[in-house]
Amino acid sequence: MTMALEGFIRSRNVKWLLYYGLRWKVLFFIIYFSRVSGQIRYSIPEEMKKGSIIGNVAQDLGLDLKRLRAGRARIVTGESVQYTELKTDKGILVVSERIDREQLCGDVTPCSFSFEIILENPMELHRVTVEIIDVNDHPPIFPKNDIKFEISESATLGSRFTLESADDPDVGLNALQNYVLTPNYNFVLKLYVNPDGSKYAEMVLQKPLDREEHPRLSLKLIAIDGGNPQRSGTVNIEITVLDVNDNAPVFNQSVYSATVMENAPKGTYITTVNASDADSGSNGLVTYFFSNLKRNVADIFKIDETTGIICLAGGIDYEKDKKYEVRVEAKDQGGLTDTSKVVIEVTDVNDNAPLMNVMSFSSPLSENSPPGTTVAIINIKDADSERNGQITCSVNINLPFKIKSSLSSYYTLISDVAFDRETTPEYNITITATDSGSPPLSSSRTLHLRISDVNDNAPLFNQSSYSAYVIENNSPGMSIFTVSARDSDWNQNAKISYHLEDTQISGTSVPTYISINSETGVLHALRSFDFEQIKQLNLVVKA
Ligand SMILES: *[C@@H]1O[C@H](CO)[C@@H](O)[C@H](O)[C@H]1NC(C)=O
């Protein structure tokens, strides 16, 4: 009854340690199944081919083949699946069904199944236990192909992200042993052991994420078992980095320069400012506006909030402002800002005619003024700049006057010849100032110059001598003749008075015979003439 047979260890993988460990269990079975007359134990790897020999039962039980046949030895089992078959002709036990350790035992280890071999005449019952040794026939498998995370780029260092575990139905060393994460900058892997001994992994953030640099990360988690050969399973870890408004907008230029023509119409395009923001979505949405704009400038320029286009909104006058400097601000939806400067230079347009101002003007001018006499001093200004403000000043070419530029913007009108009031008593002098713009603008002014008289002309008689006849015995006081002289001077200078020169005729002075009206030049006889006494009178009239 105490025939105890030690199990024959067929599996080469199993060490003697196992053998001794099993010995105590075997003893336990012997006590429990006291009816059992024999007990054998085999160890085989799982997944052996059908027909593979498990052991020589006849030999191990000490039975010959005749006894096996005569006793109609057979296997009895309560199980529906019969994994083994007894070949009574050879006394061996062979595999008759696929033996999958994982199906049979799952995680339970060691894994074995038992059955009885029964013989009749006399009845013998032998218990056979077959231990199934695990073979590394399963790789660790992850439940899904991908693990997806959405992690904010502001996630604090040390944040942990639990990773789904892989499953490896094999046991012992053949079961999952380790996890490995593909090398990367941001995450390290930490392994933990559950109370049941299974392992799981967590990713721990060790370096901050930056969406602007890497918006997505693709990592691989590899689960490795300890079998020989080693098997592994892989899962993709897809990390989407969520944006945080950690970037301010940045202008692509620190200064924008533009020019605009003065008098340009409203809506004239000036320039476009542009700022980029590395953030995404509303965090990267930039709006533009002017900052700290002076009131007078606020009405002149406008900026499109979304496009950054700056255009003219009001009148622009070079003569008032030659240059504008405005600050622009770019702001994202999270309130982060950047500023830049826009310098707008106004280009001059020839929109101002020269402005003429007569500073002094001497009229009338004495006709004896020498050539080169200053007639007028004129100030000419042009509000435009450069060529548009460059003045040339001229005077009618047919008149005897010249323009001289003395100081800048001061012009002197001078006479070019000696005047003669008697030929030209007045001049209408037109002075014209023209700028060099394109087209040029000009303005002119007419000065009315009068020439004042100088008594430079003596009275002139029409003839050098006149003859007149008087009948003798005339009545005294009779008008004999009228002399007339002309004077081309003016007014007093042309007022003529006549005198008789005191000449003698045969001892008597002429004025005793004839008088002259000094104003009218009418000659009167003062006495009655006698042809026999005086035949001829010569007299000299002075005008
Ligand atoms: C000058 O202008 C005035 C007014 O237009 C005119 O009466 C006068 O005749 C002009 N004199 C000359 C010399 O052209």
Side-chain angles (χ1 to χ4, degrees):
M1 285 296 279
T2 57
M3 190 186 114
L5 279 166
E6 298 295 350
F8 287 84
I9 311 303
R10 289 291 162 110
S11 168
R12 271 176 253 133
N13 291 340
V14 183
K15 302 285 180 289
W16 281 105
L17 186 65
L18 177 64
Y19 170 77
Y20 285 113
L22 289 169
R23 200 169 159 168
W24 295 106
K25 278 192 182 159
V26 171
L27 285 176
F28 168 79
F29 283 124
I30 292 162
I31 294 158
Y32 189 79
F33 297 105
S34 49
R35 281 168 38 241
V36 175
S37 38
Q39 169 113 15
I40 46 175
R41 186 177 184 89
Y42 300 109
S43 273
I44 57 161
E46 62 174 321
E47 306 285 358
M48 281 175 83
K49 271 196 220 150
K50 282 185 193 173
S52 302
I53 298 170
I54 299 170
N56 191 329
V57 177
Q59 202 176 65
D60 297 336
L61 290 175
L63 301 167
D64 61 19
L65 296 175
K66 275 185 197 159
R67 167 70 185 128
L68 283 182
R69 268 196 302 275
R72 297 211 297 138
R74 61 191 188 275
I75 291 170
V76 285
T77 171
E79 306 296 326
S80 53
V81 191
Q82 195 161 322
Y83 292 111
T84 58
E85 188 188 338
L86 183 63
K87 299 276 187 193
T88 45
D89 53 341
K90 288 176 186 156
I92 55 171
L93 195 63
V94 297
V95 175
S96 65
E97 268 304 320
R98 174 175 168 247
I99 306 170
D100 181 4
R101 193 208 63 80
E102 287 72 34
Q103 204 180 1
L104 196 64
C105 302
D107 287 343
V108 178
T109 178
C111 175
S112 61
F113 62 90
S114 300
F115 53 87
E116 276 77 37
I117 292 176
I118 194 164
L119 288 95
E120 296 166 4
N121 300 322
M123 174 114 77
E124 276 180 58
L125 202 57
H126 298 282
R127 190 171 178 85
V128 178
T129 299
V130 178
E131 192 193 346
I132 308 300
I133 309 289
D134 185 43
V135 165
N136 193 21
D137 55 351
H138 292 89
I141 288 175
F142 286 97
K144 289 180 204 158
N145 290 331
D146 302 290
I147 304 175
K148 289 190 163 66
F149 287 107
E150 290 188 337
I151 305 174
S152 165
E153 62 177 324
S154 68
T156 51
L157 297 185
S159 299
R160 306 189 313 178
F161 304 92
T162 304
L163 301 170
E164 272 176 286
S165 300
D167 182 46
D168 188 335
D170 294 328
V171 292
L173 276 177
N174 292 337
L176 195 148
Q177 299 296 316
N178 201 7
Y179 287 103
V180 177
L181 189 65
T182 45
N184 73 99
Y185 178 77
N186 301 97
F187 293 96
V188 288
L189 199 67
K190 268 195 141 176
L191 289 185
Y192 298 90
V193 181
N194 283 320
D196 66 358
S198 62
K199 295 189 171 94
Y200 70 97
E202 276 180 356
M203 286 191 316
V204 181
L205 189 66
Q206 62 163 1
K207 293 275 161 53
L209 295 167
D210 183 2
R211 191 202 64 80
E212 288 71 37
E213 214 179 317
H214 298 294
R216 297 176 158 278
L217 296 178
S218 270
L219 305 177
K220 279 188 193 315
L221 179 68
I222 303 164
I224 301 165
D225 67 20
N228 183 18
Q230 199 170 49
R231 288 173 179 264
S232 64
T234 302
V235 66
N236 295 318
I237 303 174
E238 301 295 340
I239 299 166
T240 305
V241 182
L242 300 180
D243 188 47
V244 162
N245 194 22
D246 55 351
N247 289 280
V250 178
F251 275 106
N252 56 7
Q253 281 173 242
S254 58
V255 178
Y256 294 87
S257 298
T259 53
V260 63
M261 296 268 263
E262 69 168 323
N263 305 337
K266 285 179 189 178
T268 298
Y269 171 85
I270 295 172
T271 189
T272 304
V273 295
N274 182 42
S276 47
D277 190 303
D279 293 323
S280 71
S282 69
N283 290 336
L285 206 64
V286 177
T287 55
Y288 304 93
F289 49 90
F290 291 127
S291 65
N292 301 325
L293 214 56
K294 281 188 226 125
R295 269 185 59 86
N296 57 332
V297 181
D299 300 333
I300 296 177
F301 302 107
K302 65 168 188 249
I303 187 165
D304 188 290
E305 196 180 272
T306 48
T307 61
I309 291 175
I310 297 173
C311 59
L312 209 56
I316 202 157
D317 183 2
Y318 177 85
E319 285 69 40
K320 269 204 285 187
D321 289 292
K322 296 176 173 45
K323 194 173 169 183
Y324 295 91
E325 282 195 17
V326 288
R327 291 213 73 79
V328 276
E329 202 166 303
K331 191 182 199 174
D332 67 21
Q333 304 301 295
L336 298 178
T337 60
D338 188 22
T339 59
S340 183
K341 193 162 77 167
V342 181
V343 178
I344 301 160
E345 302 231 24
V346 182
T347 27
D348 186 41
V349 165
N350 194 21
D351 58 345
N352 289 282
L355 202 67
M356 210 181 286
N357 214 344
V358 178
M359 309 302 284
S360 76
F361 174 44
S362 318
S363 177
L365 204 61
S366 168
E367 65 176 316
N368 64 359
S369 305
T373 299
T374 298
V375 179
I377 294 170
I378 297 148
N379 174 256
I380 303 173
K381 281 184 193 141
D382 190 306
D384 295 319
S385 72
E386 316 243 316
R387 295 187 63 79
N388 293 339
Q390 262 167 30
I391 305 295
T392 39
C393 189
S394 65
V395 64
N396 325 47
I397 43 163
N398 52 345
L399 294 185
F401 297 96
K402 285 195 300 198
I403 287 281
K404 252 174 60 181
S405 173
S406 36
L407 291 162
S408 77
S409 78
Y410 281 91
Y411 297 84
T412 325
L413 178 71
I414 55 173
S415 62
D416 205 19
V417 293
F419 297 114
D420 181 16
R421 193 204 61 81
E422 288 68 34
T423 47
T424 316
E426 59 174 16
Y427 294 93
N428 285 337
I429 309 162
T430 303
I431 298 161
T432 307
T434 309
D435 64 29
S436 308
S438 170
L441 294 176
S442 63
S443 62
S444 56
R445 185 83 177 262
T446 300
L447 301 177
H448 183 69
L449 176 68
R450 286 181 295 112
I451 305 298
S452 64
D453 189 48
V454 165
N455 194 18
D456 53 354
N457 290 281
L460 268 182
F461 288 101
N462 286 345
Q463 291 166 240
S464 56
S465 69
Y466 298 89
S467 299
Y469 298 90
V470 181
I471 312 287
E472 65 175 334
N473 300 325
N474 61 306
S475 56
M478 187 190 80
S479 84
I480 302 162
F481 191 71
T482 302
V483 293
S484 176
R486 285 185 301 106
D487 190 309
S488 50
D489 290 326
W490 183 75
N491 210 358
Q492 284 300 114
N493 293 337
K495 195 167 176 187
I496 298 170
S497 56
Y498 303 93
H499 304 279
L500 270 182
E501 292 220 329
D502 195 1
T503 48
Q504 302 273 322
I505 289 173
S506 38
T508 312
S509 77
V510 169
T512 58
Y513 296 102
I514 291 177
S515 75
I516 190 160
N517 185 318
S518 66
E519 281 183 31
T520 61
V522 176
L523 292 163
H524 299 272
L526 289 179
R527 57 174 83 175
S528 190
F529 293 113
D530 181 2
F531 178 79
E532 288 70 30
Q533 265 184 10
I534 301 166
K535 290 191 177 62
Q536 186 173 330
L537 268 171
N538 285 324
L539 45 101
V540 177
V541 178
K542 198 174 189 180

